[in-house]
Amino acid sequence: MKRNGSRSLGFRIGALVAIVALVGLAWGLAYYLRSKPGQPTSSRLKGSIPNNQPLPNPGGEAATFSTRGSINLTGEYFKLQGKNGQSCATCHIPEEAWSITPATLQRLFDETDGRHPVFSLLDSNNPDMDVSTKEARRAAYSMLLTRGVFRRGGAPKPNFEWELIAVDDPHGYANLNRLVHWRRSMPTINFALGSATVNWDGGSTAGNDQHAGLVNLANRLVTDRLQGPPATPEIINDIVDFQTSLLTAQLTVTGVGRLDVDGARGGPEALSNMKKEEGGFNLFDAWINSPDPNRAQIARGQEVFNSVNVSHKSCIVCHNSVNNGTNMDNDLFDIRTSSVEARTPDLPLYTFRNKQTGETIQLTDAGQGNVTGRWDDLGLFKAPTLRGLAARAPYFHNGIAATLEDVVRHYENNFGFVFTDQERADLVAFLQAL
Ligand code: HEC
Ligand code: HEC
């Protein structure tokens, strides 16, 4: 009896252990599946893309040309580096000139009920918001969904030339010690012809050394955004080398066709053969007398861009790297995109005071001023590459211009340019073809 009893007890213990182990295994599997971060990229493309593969966008098609021969979508740029389910390619996708648009963010939200890893509390309107239901998530991520802007920011430092004296944040998160800056994802392209300034506000810039700036940024993002351990130099180099191999541009415009034919030099492959030099755009010189009215219009728009406006201003004073449009001197500029006049109700408004003079200024984003601490740098932003624009609306750091026509109107309404209806239409046609 005793022996039998202990044998059956042993059996029962064994069975219990087996059940516990099985339940544990099942729970572990369920947990693994649930916490499996889904897609570390927001792109629908997998594997690799051939050079010059046309990818549709609202204006026609854009394409990427890699100096490596094709675009490998499996490197470190596409891998999870940390625990929040994101990779670099969560917010920089090939279909959208390596940025990401609100339309794609809305699609990802709908496909996953707002659980795609791009929807991280780090980018919610306010990290204290409820995200327990789909509708709560839709409200918490409205800035991403409507405008495609990610939440960045930082604290003003005591040694700055300015101090923050008032804050009006419609999302209730910014305060006198915490600036919230809403920023569009920047295209990680065309660095070969680009400036050394890295980030909208130059926050990762390393003097004139573009490569060092990109290394700075990648290192910072892996820990701060992807929430990973510090990356090895091998991983960082893989990411930076990948980015600097990419050239992206519009390849076709609907109703016009290819942009690299009959003497024109649009598209990414032509760009890969160009040098970084100072000047205006010359992609469409050959089309100026084209019998095709659409081609001629694009070429006229290029002339409007290159010329001095009746207001004595010129687009290429700032966008002066040939056929790319960043700034050759790595300068940042104030084009009134963070001004009170350009503010939309969903953006915060900050009042800054100069500690020396007592002068005040109101802006929706401190721009470079929160990097350098200098009064004169408040509201300054990087002049980004102007290629592949049609793939990545809305425009400007805060997405306030929904279309390229809105961009041009911003320059008219807030910066003093004066265009005829014809000039404006030509300029927009040119920007669509970049
Ligand atoms: C959650 C979305 C998100 C993720 C993930 C992300 N980025 Fe970005 N990226 C942005 C936003 C937003 C900006 C603009 C921020 C700013 O400058 O204020 C940006 C800017 C950049 C820029 C600046 C480009 C320029 O012209 O100055 C580079 C380069 C870049 N990202 C590379 C990366 C790399 C590399 C990774 C992965 C390690 C990465 N990003 C991950 C959203 C993201
Ligand atoms: C004083 C310098 C300056 C002048 C002049 C200027 N730009 Fe810009 N441009 C910038 C800066 C800086 C930005 C980024 C501003 C921001 O996002 O806050 C920008 C952004 C843009 C963008 C949006 C790019 C994007 O990725 O969102 C377009 C398009 C553009 N400029 C076209 C033009 C055109 C067309 C003209 C002439 C009518 C022009 N620019 C004149 C400095 C300038």
Side-chain angles (χ1 to χ4, degrees):
M1 270 303 278
K2 218 180 168 194
R3 238 188 263 150
N4 275 352
S6 71
R7 214 183 280 145
S8 84
L9 182 68
F11 175 77
R12 273 185 229 151
I13 289 173
L16 199 70
V17 167
I19 288 168
V20 167
L22 270 174
V23 168
L25 205 69
W27 183 82
L29 187 70
Y31 180 81
Y32 169 76
L33 287 175
R34 196 154 31 92
S35 67
K36 215 168 123 20
Q39 297 286 7
T41 167
S42 304
S43 170
R44 283 171 158 160
L45 301 164
K46 302 274 144 21
S48 82
I49 339 175
N51 271 352
N52 301 321
Q53 168 84 47
L55 299 172
N57 61 48
E61 295 158 317
T64 296
F65 181 94
S66 165
T67 51
R68 296 168 162 184
S70 68
I71 303 114
N72 174 5
L73 307 178
T74 64
E76 297 294 342
Y77 189 92
F78 300 87
K79 287 188 193 152
L80 299 178
Q81 303 294 341
K83 55 182 161 57
N84 73 347
Q86 296 183 348
S87 74
C88 307
T90 302
C91 309
H92 300 280
I93 64 170
E95 296 96 320
E96 297 181 332
W98 304 88
S99 176
I100 190 165
T101 67
T104 290
L105 291 161
Q106 280 160 27
R107 173 177 64 76
L108 294 169
F109 189 96
D110 293 341
E111 286 172 4
T112 64
D113 287 348
R115 289 198 180 85
H116 188 280
V118 76
F119 303 106
S120 148
L121 276 176
L122 289 174
D123 292 308
S124 58
N125 295 1
N126 178 330
D128 301 327
M129 281 174 92
D130 173 26
V131 288
S132 63
T133 66
K134 181 179 170 185
E135 285 323 305
R137 287 190 286 278
R138 198 186 293 285
Y141 296 112
S142 72
M143 289 301 274
L144 267 179
L145 293 169
T146 58
R147 201 181 279 286
V149 286
F150 294 81
R151 179 159 52 75
R152 301 289 156 116
K157 298 195 180 70
N159 62 337
F160 281 4
E161 289 176 9
W162 50 266
E163 58 195 340
L164 191 53
I165 57 165
V167 173
D168 170 17
D169 180 6
H171 309 291
Y173 188 54
N175 59 40
L176 292 180
N177 300 307
R178 180 164 57 215
L179 288 156
V180 167
H181 291 146
W182 290 103
R183 305 266 175 91
R184 293 277 297 126
S185 167
M186 301 182 83
T188 59
I189 53 171
N190 304 340
F191 290 113
L193 291 81
S195 84
T197 301
V198 181
N199 281 130
W200 284 116
D201 55 13
S204 302
T205 305
N208 293 331
D209 188 343
Q210 181 195 70
H211 188 268
L214 293 173
V215 167
N216 270 349
L217 180 58
N219 269 316
R220 204 155 51 80
L221 289 172
V222 166
T223 51
D224 296 3
R225 306 300 298 191
L226 307 186
Q227 300 187 289
T232 62
E234 290 73 26
I235 291 179
I236 296 299
N237 283 340
D238 189 71
I239 289 174
V240 171
D241 291 352
F242 174 76
Q243 296 182 109
T244 49
S245 77
L246 302 176
L247 296 140
T248 301
Q250 196 73 358
L251 184 63
T252 70
V253 166
T254 309
V256 180
R258 280 190 73 113
L259 299 164
D260 56 355
V261 292
D262 295 331
R265 300 188 302 143
E269 185 161 359
L271 192 58
S272 77
N273 294 319
M274 294 174 191
K275 285 199 307 285
K276 180 176 166 181
E277 53 190 333
E278 185 170 343
F281 280 63
N282 56 33
L283 301 171
F284 303 110
D285 289 357
W287 284 2
I288 195 69
N289 295 316
S290 172
D292 176 339
N294 294 320
R295 287 182 176 184
Q297 180 173 44
I298 290 171
R300 282 200 310 275
Q302 179 178 269
E303 284 190 342
V304 174
F305 189 88
N306 288 339
S307 60
V308 178
N309 185 250
V310 292
S311 65
H312 305 294
K313 295 173 187 293
S314 165
C315 306
I316 60 164
V317 168
C318 307
H319 297 287
N320 67 355
S321 70
V322 173
N323 297 329
N324 185 27
T326 63
N327 183 265
M328 289 295 285
D329 304 317
N330 311 319
D331 282 341
L332 293 86
F333 304 95
D334 179 3
I335 55 160
R336 313 301 297 147
T337 43
S338 62
S339 62
V340 185
E341 297 72 38
R343 182 193 188 194
T344 50
D346 54 356
L347 291 175
L349 186 67
Y350 302 106
T351 308
F352 301 97
R353 183 166 57 199
N354 186 320
K355 288 180 187 168
Q356 282 250 294
T357 65
E359 199 185 335
T360 61
I361 186 175
Q362 290 195 307
L363 297 169
T364 57
D365 189 318
Q368 194 188 19
N370 195 42
V371 175
T372 61
R374 295 187 61 231
W375 173 256
D376 289 343
D377 293 345
L378 285 169
L380 265 51
F381 295 92
K382 172 178 176 173
T385 175
L386 298 182
R387 305 306 300 268
L389 286 167
R392 54 186 173 90
Y395 306 100
F396 296 135
H397 71 271
N398 47 11
I400 55 169
T403 65
L404 289 168
E405 171 156 350
D406 292 340
V407 167
V408 175
R409 289 197 186 269
H410 172 86
Y411 281 106
E412 297 178 76
N413 297 336
N414 300 296
F415 202 71
F417 276 90
V418 180
F419 295 118
T420 63
D421 287 350
Q422 184 69 60
E423 284 172 330
R424 186 185 310 109
D426 293 351
L427 193 49
V428 170
F430 165 66
L431 296 172
Q432 289 276 11
L434 290 180

